[in-house]
Amino acid sequence: MVESGQPAGLTRELIALRGPLASLDAHPEDMAVLDQALLQLDELFLLVIVGEFNAGKSAFINALLGRRFLPEGVTPTTTGIYILRYGDEASQSTSESNVAVVTYPVEWLSEINIVDTPGTNAVIQRHQKITEEFVPRADLVIFVTSADRPFSESERIFMKRIRAWGKKVIVVINKIDILEAPAEVDHVVDFVKDNARKLLGRRPIVFPVSSRQARQAKETIDADKRTRLWTASQFEPLEDYILHTLDKRERLRLKLSNPLGVAQR
């Protein structure tokens, strides 16, 4: 939960905003989103993972966990929303339509909840609708794109929609292991930074990684192989950002900015 005081004042201001919005015949769905944002001030920090199917969203989460826990594949394997929370043991249950609550015994999940969403591709329209409905609830959005096809047209469109909600976005370029040289990685990073800046209005933080190599590094018992894979994955700066740079103070700041962005929209 967030600390008392400042959040309480913000909550009062946002509640006061409901009256004028209702008098202006604000759409019921928009009012529901604002109400949800208010309720989430008392919930754990919500990290929402978005991107096209096959960009490696589930693989990225598995790399953080150090185990192939969520399903991965070359077809749209995530057909609904997965909410990953702390639990004494690995388990899965369905809480509501298209939402599966998954627990895993890793300590940092006691402070951060992770959401794995379906692909944003328009190929399967229901998947895209589910993803777009969940983004407004995010305290931070991690946008995963693939090194072999960074910033496709559907990703550009979806990025603009994320910007409309005033969300902070971290961009992850996954699958850098398919590129043959460091210069190719640098070229893709520059391309993504330039395009993301145009779409978001600011230059985002970008992490090029290989989630597959990072997970393999954590799973292997061979020390030399572990070091080699971990170095090649370039995963450490991203993991350090999520687990350490996003400390309690920064998470509180981002959580407070979430309902403000919703209210502004």
Side-chain angles (χ1 to χ4, degrees):
M1 294 186 180
V2 298
E3 299 172 4
S4 60
Q6 188 177 4
L10 174 63
T11 302
R12 286 194 297 270
E13 292 178 10
L14 290 170
I15 291 174
L17 180 63
R18 290 192 90 265
L21 285 174
S23 67
L24 292 171
D25 295 326
H27 197 283
E29 290 184 2
D30 291 335
M31 297 298 290
V33 171
L34 179 58
D35 290 342
Q36 182 66 49
L38 288 168
L39 291 173
Q40 285 185 206
L41 283 173
D42 285 328
E43 295 181 358
L44 289 180
F45 188 84
L46 202 61
L47 189 65
V48 175
I49 317 299
V50 300
E52 287 194 344
F53 80 82
N54 202 29
K57 300 185 303 298
S58 299
F60 161 68
I61 296 173
N62 286 337
L64 282 174
L65 298 177
R67 174 189 166 192
R68 193 165 183 167
F69 181 55
L70 296 179
E72 302 175 23
V74 296
T75 57
T77 51
T78 303
T79 57
I81 299 288
Y82 284 89
I83 302 179
L84 185 60
R85 297 174 175 167
Y86 176 80
D88 292 332
E89 58 184 23
S91 68
Q92 178 176 328
S93 61
T94 302
S95 64
E96 55 185 273
S97 178
N98 294 315
V99 177
V101 177
V102 182
T103 63
Y104 195 79
V106 60
E107 190 61 34
W108 53 265
L109 284 175
S110 62
E111 297 184 351
I112 299 175
N113 284 170
I114 290 184
V115 179
D116 189 17
T117 63
T120 60
N121 310 46
V123 175
I124 303 178
Q125 292 289 348
R126 187 176 67 88
H127 288 192
Q128 184 170 346
K129 186 174 186 296
I130 293 171
T131 302
E132 291 174 353
E133 289 176 351
F134 215 86
V135 167
R137 299 171 59 181
D139 296 311
L140 176 65
V141 174
I142 291 187
F143 193 98
V144 180
T145 188
S146 179
D148 61 342
R149 44 179 177 77
F151 270 85
S152 66
E153 186 59 30
S154 67
E155 287 179 321
R156 293 171 189 269
I157 293 171
F158 194 73
M159 183 72 81
K160 291 179 181 177
R161 292 171 179 167
I162 294 176
R163 178 182 180 177
W165 288 107
K167 301 294 180 181
K168 178 168 182 177
V169 180
I170 303 300
V171 180
V172 172
I173 304 171
N174 198 17
K175 304 183 183 180
I176 62 169
D177 51 303
I178 67 176
L179 302 177
E180 295 184 357
E184 293 184 25
V185 176
D186 294 339
H187 177 72
V188 172
V189 169
D190 289 340
F191 174 81
V192 169
K193 284 183 177 179
D194 289 342
N195 281 272
R197 178 182 54 80
K198 294 173 184 176
L199 293 168
L200 295 173
R202 60 185 180 277
R203 200 171 181 88
I205 300 174
V206 176
F207 294 99
V209 304
S210 168
S211 297
R212 181 181 64 87
Q213 289 178 321
R215 175 183 55 79
Q216 290 175 340
K218 292 182 178 183
E219 289 178 330
T220 185
I221 60 174
D222 185 319
D224 291 337
K225 184 178 180 181
R226 182 188 309 119
T227 299
R228 186 172 65 256
L229 286 168
W230 185 245
T231 301
S233 75
Q234 298 187 39
F235 203 81
E236 187 169 0
L238 173 57
E239 186 171 79
D240 184 68
Y241 179 89
I242 294 173
L243 302 184
H244 302 293
T245 303
L246 285 180
D247 57 12
K248 289 183 179 180
R249 184 182 185 88
E250 178 65 6
R251 291 199 302 269
L252 175 60
R253 187 186 69 79
L254 290 172
K255 179 165 280 292
L256 290 174
S257 69
N258 180 25
L260 289 175
V262 172
Q264 184 177 23
R265 176 183 169 98

